[in-house]
Each structure stands twice: as structure tokens, then as C-alpha cells.
Amino acid sequence: MTQETNGPAPIGRHLAEWRIRRGLTASRLAARCGLPEQSITDLESGRDWVDRRRVVNSLAAGLRLDPIELTGQPYLPYGASHAVVHATAWHVRRHLARVVAGGAGMQDPVHAEEVAALVAAVRSADEGGDLHSAADGLPRLLEMTASPVTDASLRSEASVAAARLLRRLGYRDLAYSVLHRARPPGGAPTPLEMAEEVWLLLDMGRPALAVSRAPGPEAVLPVDVLLPLALAHACLGQWVHSARLLERAQTIAHAPKEVSAVASARAFAEAERGAFEQVLAHAGEAGYLPPGERAGLFLLTASARARLGRVGEAVTDLVTAESVAPLHTRLNPLARELVHVLSSCPGVHGDGPKEMAARFGMK
């Protein structure tokens, strides 16, 4: 779909600004990115938008940028819930400063049962699409897990929860610090930490580094680790490696949630290839995802339908994503690209995407 819009989508706009700032022609940037010059022109003119990690990573690499310079993250708080979530970065910075100074942790005794319950509550809120509750409980959780009597596994789970939330917000350097500070010097990452590190490196535009950090091909890895690794290979155009990892995940996935996660990962991998019909086919097999992940999948199918010219269905999926997990959706760069594109499409009836743009705080 290459219908004219009212100016470029957010990434296209940032792309034009940075290309001019770097003093590059569209032709020169295309050569550095490994993309067709027409792709650069279409993005900057508003005839196209970005919906693949490979494209964002290529553009950022060509401009010598972190991908967040193109996506615009972290987004300014818009609304009370977003403000609470956004404040998490401040609490985490204060926590890390106290850790370095040797003054972190609660003075009162910490009970493992209480820590475990709070870890579970934060994780459940995040997966359930309630980022407000997850962010609200995170400062206390970090203080509790900084206590020397806290179990190492609980400390790891708390750090992963904090890193995941910071990654969504766009504070990736801070997320990386939290994730690695929880690990003992020289210690091997837990599967939970490994999975979050791969997702973090993917968002940082470093899929090659994500792949290099993974254990060898003979290592036994859980589904949660295999899936982001498969996407990392897809982002590198290594389709055979990606397919093999997805097959391995398929063979060990038994619970409905795991089977759905594999189907969702297949959809995201197909999106990197531009196989939009396959995206929709695999997405239809992912029926048991938690709300946060389901919202991300609806955004993916919305983009696939838009690419196939099925604009009305794309709008329906976009609106559904926000209804399922509002803040997950509003903090997703792909959602902002789609809101901009779909709000300007001639075939869109009603004010759905335009109203969403207002809720997102988009100008």
C-alpha cells in the first residue's frame, strides 16, 4: 500500500531530518543502508511507512544512530497512566545510584514470600497489559530485592521485570544496566535473563550481537529463548537458521500459551520477509496469548492487512490492539506509524485512528 498521506509517518520524518543533518543524499544513504533509493524517497515523502525491524535497523546503521533516534522514544508522557509508567525510569536510576553507593535495600526484614508475591504481581500486570500497575509496584520490588537476604532467583526475576518495562519505554541503556547488575560477576544468565537480553539487543538494533551471545547450536534452550533468537536471525535475513529455531521451539512447546507464542513468532519472522499473507495465517493460530503479547500481534496483523490493501480490516485490528492493552500499544513505534498512515487513508471511515492519535499525544 503506497497511498499518499499527509506528510511522512514519524520514522520517515525523523529519517529525513537525520539524513539532512548528516549531509547525505538519498542515494548515498541508500548505499550505506543496503536499501533501494526509492525506499528512502518513499519513506521521506509519506508514500510508505516502516513496519519491520530490519528496515529500522538498516536505516539506523546507515545514519550511525541508535534506532530510538528514528522511533522517537522515549515518548513524552500523555495521560496519568503514561506518566506513572514513565516515572519508572527515575525510580530505577535512583535505585541504581543507591546500589552503587552501597545503600540500597530495605531496612526492615524482607520475607521471601512477600517478594515472590510482588514479583508475580508485577509480571502478571505486565503480561495482562496493565503497565500502570506493573510500574506502580516496581520501585518497592527493586528495594526489596536489593536486600542481601533476598533469593538470587527472585532478584533476577525482578530485574527482568524492570528491564522489560524500561525497554518498552525506550530507556534501553538503563534496561541493560538493570539486567546485568542483577547477575553475579562471571555468572551465567538464567533463561529468563537470556531471553530479555535478546529482546533488548533486538530493540537496540543489534541482532548480530544477540545471536553471538546465544549458546552453541547443541545447547538445550527453552521456548522463551528460542523465539527471540529466531527473530534475531530473521532480522539478519538468515531465514534457514530462523526456521530451524522455530522448529525446535515447536517440538518442545506443549502448553497452549507456548504453542501460541511459537505461532506468533512465526508471524513476526514472516513479516521480516514481507510475506504478509503468511503473517495472517500464523497469527490466526495464536489463540492463547496474554493481552500484552496479543496487542503486539494485532499491530502486526494490522500492518499486514494494510500492506495487502485491506484498510478497513487494518483499522479494526489497530483499534483492537489498543483496547486489549492500551499502554502497550501507545508505546509501540509500529502503532504510531500505523495511526499516522491509517488516519490519512481515503478508504477509512470514521475517526478511529484520528482519535487514537489524540490519545497517543501525536501531533
Side-chain angles (χ1 to χ4, degrees):
M1 178 177 135
T2 57
Q3 294 172 318
E4 292 286 350
T5 63
N6 298 326
I11 292 177
R13 184 175 68 251
H14 293 310
L15 170 64
E17 292 170 353
W18 275 104
R19 180 181 62 76
I20 293 171
R21 193 178 303 179
R22 292 284 198 248
L24 297 170
T25 63
S27 175
R28 177 59 180 154
L29 177 58
R32 288 170 63 165
C33 294
L35 297 171
E37 182 180 350
Q38 189 64 47
S39 295
I40 306 296
T41 303
D42 287 346
L43 289 171
E44 292 187 359
S45 66
R47 289 191 297 271
D48 199 3
W49 77 98
V50 176
D51 56 1
R52 286 184 280 179
R53 289 176 182 269
R54 292 185 70 199
V55 175
V56 176
N57 294 347
S58 297
L59 294 172
L63 290 165
R64 310 295 190 261
L65 297 173
D66 187 296
I68 63 172
E69 300 293 349
L70 293 176
T71 61
Q73 296 169 293
Y75 304 120
L76 293 175
Y78 196 81
S81 293
H82 189 180
V84 170
V85 176
H86 196 272
T88 300
W90 180 83
H91 289 294
V92 172
R93 281 198 178 94
R94 186 179 69 167
H95 168 75
L96 289 176
R98 292 173 62 192
V99 168
V100 172
M106 301 183 67
Q107 300 302 316
D108 297 328
V110 176
H111 300 286
E113 295 81 4
E114 184 181 0
V115 179
L118 189 51
V119 166
V122 168
R123 184 195 305 143
S124 177
D126 187 2
E127 290 183 351
D130 185 5
L131 292 188
H132 179 277
S133 295
D136 200 40
L138 200 55
R140 175 173 171 79
L141 179 59
L142 289 174
E143 286 191 22
M144 293 173 70
T145 54
S147 171
V149 299
T150 301
D151 182 77
S153 64
L154 290 177
R155 189 179 303 119
S156 171
E157 290 183 39
S159 298
V160 169
R164 183 184 297 117
L165 186 57
L166 290 165
R167 173 169 59 84
R168 293 192 203 282
L169 291 169
Y171 293 103
R172 293 161 193 165
D173 56 339
L174 196 53
Y176 203 83
S177 296
V178 170
L179 193 60
H180 283 261
R181 188 165 290 278
R183 192 181 307 161
T190 66
L192 199 63
E193 291 171 347
M194 190 183 304
E196 178 56 28
E197 181 173 3
V198 174
W199 284 119
L200 182 56
L201 289 170
L202 279 172
D203 280 0
M204 294 171 72
R206 307 293 298 277
L209 183 57
V211 168
S212 72
R213 294 290 182 87
E218 302 304 319
V220 178
L221 299 174
V223 171
D224 287 347
V225 177
L226 290 170
L227 298 186
L229 282 175
L231 184 55
H233 281 288
C235 289
L236 294 169
Q238 298 171 353
W239 313 118
V240 173
H241 291 290
S242 179
R244 285 174 180 167
L245 290 174
L246 289 169
E247 287 297 329
R248 285 175 60 186
Q250 186 71 58
T251 60
I252 61 174
H254 299 295
K257 181 180 174 181
E258 285 187 332
V259 173
S260 293
V262 174
S264 177
R266 289 186 185 278
F268 277 92
E270 292 292 350
E272 293 300 323
R273 294 205 305 169
F276 302 115
E277 291 286 5
Q278 290 300 311
V279 169
L280 299 178
H282 288 302
E285 301 167 356
Y288 295 91
L289 295 176
E293 294 178 27
R294 191 149 38 96
L297 188 59
F298 271 118
L299 288 176
L300 186 72
T301 59
S303 187
R305 295 185 202 280
R307 292 288 184 188
L308 294 169
R310 294 151 61 175
V311 176
E313 295 175 14
V315 171
T316 298
D317 281 0
L318 177 60
V319 172
T320 302
E322 190 191 20
S323 69
V324 169
L327 276 179
H328 277 75
T329 302
R330 295 170 195 172
L331 295 174
N332 191 313
L334 171 57
R336 291 172 176 253
E337 293 283 289
L338 285 171
V339 164
H340 177 90
V341 171
L342 295 177
S343 65
S344 306
C345 284
V348 174
H349 302 288
D351 295 328
K354 293 180 180 178
E355 292 173 347
M356 290 180 71
R359 291 193 292 272
F360 281 36
M362 296 171 62
K363 296 182 179 179

